[in-house]
């Protein structure tokens, strides 16, 4: 089963950038869909971006389109989320997710069976 470990979170001022990474190990080459989610205490986890087939298709929440970019390395062992023009409302715990079978619901929690522990992103105004 794939194991996921996120890194790259931190604190940044509004308008700044951060790049999140998610290292996938143990059977990562069989993973076909991956995504990034975020959660604020007291709220449901929100799909931010998804990627299928190592980059053949990408999906974004409307709130991050044009500011965030999801990508993978060629070996599909690392997932990235480049976050530019950050806003205070982007603050939250960011989670990496993965699965072997994709069902076309890239921004839905139900698409993924495997999750990382999360990395905190804080954007101050």
């Amino acid at each position: 089963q794939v194991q996921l470990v996120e890194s790259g979170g931190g604190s940044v001022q509004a308008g700044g950038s951060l790049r999140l990474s998610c290292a996938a190990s143990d059977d990562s080459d069989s993973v076909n869909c991956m995504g990034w989610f975020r959660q604020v205490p007291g709220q449901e986890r929100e799909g931010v971006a998804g990627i299928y087939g190592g980059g053949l298709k990408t999906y974004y929440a409307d709130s991050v389109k044009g500011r965030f970019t999801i990508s993978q390395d060629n070996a599909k062992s690392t997932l990235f989320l480049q976050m530019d023009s950050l806003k205070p409302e982007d603050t939250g715990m960011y989670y990496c997710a993965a699965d072997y079978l994709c069902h076309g619901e890239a921004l839905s929690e139900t698409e993924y069976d495997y999750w990382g522990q999360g990395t905190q992103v804080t954007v101050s105004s």
Side-chain angles (χ1 to χ4, degrees):
Q1 294 181 347
V2 65
Q3 307 289 326
L4 304 171
V5 179
E6 303 95 336
S7 62
S11 296
V12 64
Q13 288 191 328
S17 298
L18 283 173
R19 191 189 197 205
L20 305 184
S21 298
C22 172
S25 60
D26 299 339
D27 204 24
S28 64
D29 57 346
S30 298
V31 168
N32 288 302
C33 35
M34 298 190 76
W36 286 100
F37 289 72
R38 66 187 179 195
Q39 188 170 27
V40 176
Q43 297 184 17
E44 294 185 356
R45 194 148 49 181
E46 171 194 19
V48 173
I51 188 166
Y52 286 174
L56 292 177
K57 292 184 179 180
T58 56
Y59 304 86
Y60 296 95
D62 288 342
S63 58
V64 306
K65 280 181 182 176
R67 300 188 298 119
F68 289 12
T69 303
I70 188 171
S71 62
Q72 277 180 289
D73 66 351
N74 289 336
K76 294 197 293 183
S77 61
T78 307
L79 179 71
F80 302 101
L81 185 68
Q82 178 66 41
M83 305 187 295
D84 299 319
S85 301
L86 282 161
K87 304 175 180 180
E89 51 264 44
D90 294 319
T91 294
M93 184 69 77
Y94 281 69
Y95 297 91
C96 171
D99 213 324
Y100 303 104
L101 296 177
C102 310
H103 301 96
E105 300 290 334
L107 301 184
S108 172
E109 287 185 84
T110 59
E111 181 77 315
Y112 307 97
D113 284 340
Y114 305 97
W115 294 82
Q117 294 301 306
T119 185
Q120 177 68 35
V121 171
T122 302
V123 184
S124 59
S125 57

